[in-house]
Amino acid sequence: MAKNADQIFWAHIFDHFLKQRDSHQTTLSFLKSIPFFQRLKKAQLDEVAKILHDRDYEKDEFLFEIGQPGAAMFLIKEGEISIETPTSQGSYAQLAVLKDHSFLGELALLDESPRSATARAITPVKAFCLFRSDLEKLAERRPDISSEIYKILATMTGERLKKTNSLLKVAQTRKREAA
Amino acid sequence: MVLSREQRSFIFKTGFFTATFVIAVVLLWSLKALILPTILGALLAYIFKPLLNTFKYHWLPESIRITFLTCTFLGFLLSATWLVRENIPTEKEQLEILTRVQYKLNQKVDDFLELKKEEKERSFFTKVIAQEVMPLVEDVQNYLKLNDAQKEKFIEFYKKDLVSETYYQYFLENIQHQLIVEKPREPATAQLTVSKPFSLTRVADVFSIWIVMPLVFLFLLFDKGEIRRYFMSFVSNKYLELTQTVIVEVDLAIGRYLRGTLLESFLVAVTMFIGFFLIGMPFQAALLISIFSGFTNAIPYLGPAVGLIVATAYALIAENIEPLVPFLTADHLLIGIFVTVGFTQFMDNFVYQPVILAQAVNLHALVVVFALIGGSTLFGFAGILLAIPAVVVVKVSVETLFRGLRDYKII
């Protein structure tokens, strides 16, 4: 039996809401897969999802460049990103390649100090962008969520510092042995 | 000729934004009656936004908090409307005020310029002043005097014993005074006329326009960044972080400026009210003049002068003054007003402004003058009030944008 205009209209409305719900569910499960948000509960993740900006990057497009003030952290949904620094010859040296479900630029959540490297999309990329200013506003409304995020950020920064210290120690020992 | 994707994108975006801009300008022009309530709603939302986080407890659900704040705001709005309506003078009171103001003004002018003395008894000084000032005084007198319909109405009220004998004497004195000094002139058109018949359509028109204000206020107050995020989705990736930085900084600066100015105006109003009350002004007059002066104090340079003029005008017509300060008498009201306004300006310039508006925006005097003239030309008194916040928005936006463009190495 052919659908009448009313049925088509309501089907479109329901379809729209179902798609919205599915997209929200996908975002939540994506966030759950990122270490930053693993400790957050569903209701807290809902709040985080509300402040994310959905962005698409084309191949070779920059997410940010070295020296620019940092304002946001990026969460990669799909695609690959090359982390690079400029060399003295004028080209770029690749430091790492980041793939789906990883994140970058997280130190921008703390302050606007300049980016230490350039991030360039090497495939088409779908990403979420989380701004420091939005996180600060969320902290006013929901300190429980932001404190969790800051706690994880502090732990990660501490671990990186320990790693850098031990690498430095190894390098110094090698240098001393060589001398 | 086949265009590349970039070229097609550029043509589409340019065309789209030009069309949007043109439509926005046309819409703004045709809906300009809505601009003022919208701006006021937005300003109020800015001012009250920090309040949202004040009443936050883990046991209080957000929905209840929002409902409570909305009800409080609507209650405040209704109370303010009721208060204003209650204090609007009735037709009889308006006639009494006009009669009293005219009488007092005539009395002060006659005393000051020695108009009741013989020509040869008057000093040279008063004669010269009178020559210069009389045209202005006559204009004011013409503006204040009752027209025939109002005179009939006044007599009607008197016959019904609704007007006191004192006012009737003032009324007679005014008529006599007019016969002496009046030149044959047409009465000013701005004179108070007999009240127009009550029109539901007019009320509905005003209501439908001003209903926008609480709506804008509530939407912006409870917005958690959805509006900004929507507009950010149109920004290209290259300018994403820059745009967010500029928006956040402008938002902070405007919020700080508006809240600072409001607090400063409030303190100015409180200081003035205490001063006026001490020099013997009646409670209602002191309250109204200090609120008005505090409100206009937000207009640089012009505001303090407006406050002084209003208070001085009141001093000219004041009656039954009983100063609370022992060494003051009713005759010293004008001196008291000058001291109060001077003290308030001292406090404002050396205490309130440095403490409250230390981080706010500084504007050059010339910019302020041009903004005020432009604002008054476009939107009248409301334009004067809103000119400075508008200039602050533009100044902060341009400064932040240029700093951001340099930081992000775009220029």
mmCIF file of all heavy atoms in Angstrom, chain B residues 24-44:
data_model
loop_
_atom_site.group_PDB
_atom_site.id
_atom_site.type_symbol
_atom_site.label_atom_id
_atom_site.label_comp_id
_atom_site.label_asym_id
_atom_site.label_seq_id
_atom_site.Cartn_x
_atom_site.Cartn_y
_atom_site.Cartn_z
ATOM 1 N N ALA B 24 20.632 40.037 5.388
ATOM 2 C CA ALA B 24 20.711 40.405 6.812
ATOM 3 C C ALA B 24 20.519 41.904 6.989
ATOM 4 O O ALA B 24 19.792 42.335 7.892
ATOM 5 C CB ALA B 24 22.062 39.969 7.384
ATOM 6 N N VAL B 25 21.152 42.705 6.108
ATOM 7 C CA VAL B 25 21.023 44.167 6.220
ATOM 8 C C VAL B 25 19.572 44.584 5.984
ATOM 9 O O VAL B 25 18.999 45.384 6.741
ATOM 10 C CB VAL B 25 21.982 44.877 5.230
ATOM 11 C CG1 VAL B 25 21.670 46.369 5.150
ATOM 12 C CG2 VAL B 25 23.425 44.662 5.649
ATOM 13 N N VAL B 26 18.951 44.007 4.924
ATOM 14 C CA VAL B 26 17.550 44.348 4.608
ATOM 15 C C VAL B 26 16.640 43.966 5.780
ATOM 16 O O VAL B 26 15.775 44.737 6.210
ATOM 17 C CB VAL B 26 17.103 43.647 3.304
ATOM 18 C CG1 VAL B 26 15.608 43.825 3.070
ATOM 19 C CG2 VAL B 26 17.879 44.200 2.126
ATOM 20 N N LEU B 27 16.872 42.748 6.310
ATOM 21 C CA LEU B 27 16.048 42.282 7.434
ATOM 22 C C LEU B 27 16.228 43.182 8.654
ATOM 23 O O LEU B 27 15.262 43.559 9.308
ATOM 24 C CB LEU B 27 16.439 40.857 7.809
ATOM 25 C CG LEU B 27 15.710 39.746 7.058
ATOM 26 C CD1 LEU B 27 16.256 38.401 7.479
ATOM 27 C CD2 LEU B 27 14.212 39.810 7.330
ATOM 28 N N LEU B 28 17.499 43.527 8.931
ATOM 29 C CA LEU B 28 17.783 44.385 10.087
ATOM 30 C C LEU B 28 17.075 45.729 9.946
ATOM 31 O O LEU B 28 16.521 46.252 10.898
ATOM 32 C CB LEU B 28 19.288 44.639 10.199
ATOM 33 C CG LEU B 28 20.071 43.685 11.071
ATOM 34 C CD1 LEU B 28 21.537 44.056 11.059
ATOM 35 C CD2 LEU B 28 19.573 43.723 12.505
ATOM 36 N N TRP B 29 17.103 46.262 8.708
ATOM 37 C CA TRP B 29 16.497 47.566 8.482
ATOM 38 C C TRP B 29 14.983 47.485 8.651
ATOM 39 O O TRP B 29 14.370 48.335 9.283
ATOM 40 C CB TRP B 29 16.872 48.094 7.093
ATOM 41 C CG TRP B 29 16.450 49.515 6.919
ATOM 42 C CD1 TRP B 29 15.466 49.997 6.109
ATOM 43 C CD2 TRP B 29 16.975 50.652 7.615
ATOM 44 N NE1 TRP B 29 15.356 51.347 6.255
ATOM 45 C CE2 TRP B 29 16.266 51.795 7.176
ATOM 46 C CE3 TRP B 29 17.971 50.826 8.571
ATOM 47 C CZ2 TRP B 29 16.524 53.070 7.645
ATOM 48 C CZ3 TRP B 29 18.221 52.100 9.048
ATOM 49 C CH2 TRP B 29 17.508 53.194 8.589
ATOM 50 N N SER B 30 14.384 46.415 8.102
ATOM 51 C CA SER B 30 12.922 46.333 8.195
ATOM 52 C C SER B 30 12.466 45.933 9.600
ATOM 53 O O SER B 30 11.346 46.230 9.986
ATOM 54 C CB SER B 30 12.357 45.395 7.129
ATOM 55 O OG SER B 30 13.204 44.307 6.959
ATOM 56 N N LEU B 31 13.343 45.246 10.339
ATOM 57 C CA LEU B 31 12.954 44.835 11.700
ATOM 58 C C LEU B 31 13.681 45.677 12.748
ATOM 59 O O LEU B 31 13.982 45.212 13.834
ATOM 60 C CB LEU B 31 13.287 43.355 11.918
ATOM 61 C CG LEU B 31 12.563 42.353 11.042
ATOM 62 C CD1 LEU B 31 13.116 40.962 11.262
ATOM 63 C CD2 LEU B 31 11.067 42.359 11.321
ATOM 64 N N LYS B 32 13.985 46.942 12.403
ATOM 65 C CA LYS B 32 14.831 47.711 13.325
ATOM 66 C C LYS B 32 14.153 47.988 14.670
ATOM 67 O O LYS B 32 14.837 48.255 15.650
ATOM 68 C CB LYS B 32 15.336 49.001 12.683
ATOM 69 C CG LYS B 32 14.307 50.003 12.314
ATOM 70 C CD LYS B 32 14.989 51.202 11.700
ATOM 71 C CE LYS B 32 13.919 52.165 11.246
ATOM 72 N NZ LYS B 32 14.428 53.289 10.558
ATOM 73 N N ALA B 33 12.808 47.868 14.698
ATOM 74 C CA ALA B 33 12.115 48.039 15.984
ATOM 75 C C ALA B 33 12.529 46.944 16.969
ATOM 76 O O ALA B 33 12.434 47.122 18.182
ATOM 77 C CB ALA B 33 10.617 47.997 15.758
ATOM 78 N N LEU B 34 12.990 45.799 16.424
ATOM 79 C CA LEU B 34 13.364 44.680 17.301
ATOM 80 C C LEU B 34 14.813 44.770 17.784
ATOM 81 O O LEU B 34 15.221 44.020 18.667
ATOM 82 C CB LEU B 34 13.189 43.358 16.560
ATOM 83 C CG LEU B 34 11.766 42.950 16.199
ATOM 84 C CD1 LEU B 34 11.775 41.676 15.405
ATOM 85 C CD2 LEU B 34 10.957 42.738 17.480
ATOM 86 N N ILE B 35 15.587 45.691 17.170
ATOM 87 C CA ILE B 35 17.020 45.741 17.495
ATOM 88 C C ILE B 35 17.236 46.078 18.970
ATOM 89 O O ILE B 35 17.983 45.391 19.668
ATOM 90 C CB ILE B 35 17.763 46.767 16.595
ATOM 91 C CG1 ILE B 35 17.723 46.289 15.152
ATOM 92 C CG2 ILE B 35 19.205 46.956 17.045
ATOM 93 C CD1 ILE B 35 18.342 47.246 14.163
ATOM 94 N N LEU B 36 16.535 47.115 19.426
ATOM 95 C CA LEU B 36 16.750 47.569 20.805
ATOM 96 C C LEU B 36 16.395 46.488 21.841
ATOM 97 O O LEU B 36 17.222 46.172 22.707
ATOM 98 C CB LEU B 36 15.968 48.856 21.049
ATOM 99 C CG LEU B 36 16.326 49.579 22.331
ATOM 100 C CD1 LEU B 36 17.786 49.995 22.329
ATOM 101 C CD2 LEU B 36 15.439 50.795 22.505
ATOM 102 N N PRO B 37 15.177 45.871 21.761
ATOM 103 C CA PRO B 37 14.893 44.802 22.734
ATOM 104 C C PRO B 37 15.872 43.638 22.634
ATOM 105 O O PRO B 37 16.249 43.059 23.658
ATOM 106 C CB PRO B 37 13.483 44.326 22.364
ATOM 107 C CG PRO B 37 12.937 45.303 21.436
ATOM 108 C CD PRO B 37 14.017 46.169 20.909
ATOM 109 N N THR B 38 16.320 43.323 21.405
ATOM 110 C CA THR B 38 17.260 42.210 21.244
ATOM 111 C C THR B 38 18.586 42.551 21.916
ATOM 112 O O THR B 38 19.139 41.728 22.666
ATOM 113 C CB THR B 38 17.503 41.935 19.741
ATOM 114 O OG1 THR B 38 16.247 41.812 19.114
ATOM 115 C CG2 THR B 38 18.324 40.689 19.528
ATOM 116 N N ILE B 39 19.092 43.759 21.648
ATOM 117 C CA ILE B 39 20.382 44.148 22.239
ATOM 118 C C ILE B 39 20.275 44.183 23.759
ATOM 119 O O ILE B 39 21.156 43.689 24.467
ATOM 120 C CB ILE B 39 20.846 45.519 21.695
ATOM 121 C CG1 ILE B 39 21.171 45.385 20.208
ATOM 122 C CG2 ILE B 39 22.071 46.026 22.443
ATOM 123 C CD1 ILE B 39 21.556 46.678 19.531
ATOM 124 N N LEU B 40 19.158 44.735 24.261
ATOM 125 C CA LEU B 40 18.999 44.806 25.722
ATOM 126 C C LEU B 40 18.942 43.411 26.335
ATOM 127 O O LEU B 40 19.530 43.165 27.384
ATOM 128 C CB LEU B 40 17.745 45.604 26.075
ATOM 129 C CG LEU B 40 17.910 47.122 25.998
ATOM 130 C CD1 LEU B 40 16.604 47.816 26.336
ATOM 131 C CD2 LEU B 40 18.992 47.605 26.963
ATOM 132 N N GLY B 41 18.217 42.505 25.672
ATOM 133 C CA GLY B 41 18.132 41.118 26.145
ATOM 134 C C GLY B 41 19.511 40.481 26.185
ATOM 135 O O GLY B 41 19.884 39.815 27.151
ATOM 136 N N ALA B 42 20.297 40.730 25.120
ATOM 137 C CA ALA B 42 21.643 40.157 25.042
ATOM 138 C C ALA B 42 22.545 40.753 26.130
ATOM 139 O O ALA B 42 23.308 40.026 26.776
ATOM 140 C CB ALA B 42 22.239 40.426 23.668
ATOM 141 N N LEU B 43 22.436 42.064 26.335
ATOM 142 C CA LEU B 43 23.268 42.710 27.369
ATOM 143 C C LEU B 43 22.931 42.155 28.755
ATOM 144 O O LEU B 43 23.816 41.861 29.554
ATOM 145 C CB LEU B 43 23.055 44.226 27.360
ATOM 146 C CG LEU B 43 23.608 44.991 26.154
ATOM 147 C CD1 LEU B 43 23.368 46.484 26.314
ATOM 148 C CD2 LEU B 43 25.093 44.733 25.973
ATOM 149 N N LEU B 44 21.622 42.002 29.003
ATOM 150 C CA LEU B 44 21.207 41.462 30.308
ATOM 151 C C LEU B 44 21.741 40.048 30.503
ATOM 152 O O LEU B 44 22.171 39.677 31.597
ATOM 153 C CB LEU B 44 19.681 41.466 30.409
ATOM 154 C CG LEU B 44 19.046 42.806 30.743
ATOM 155 C CD1 LEU B 44 17.543 42.699 30.680
ATOM 156 C CD2 LEU B 44 19.461 43.252 32.145
#
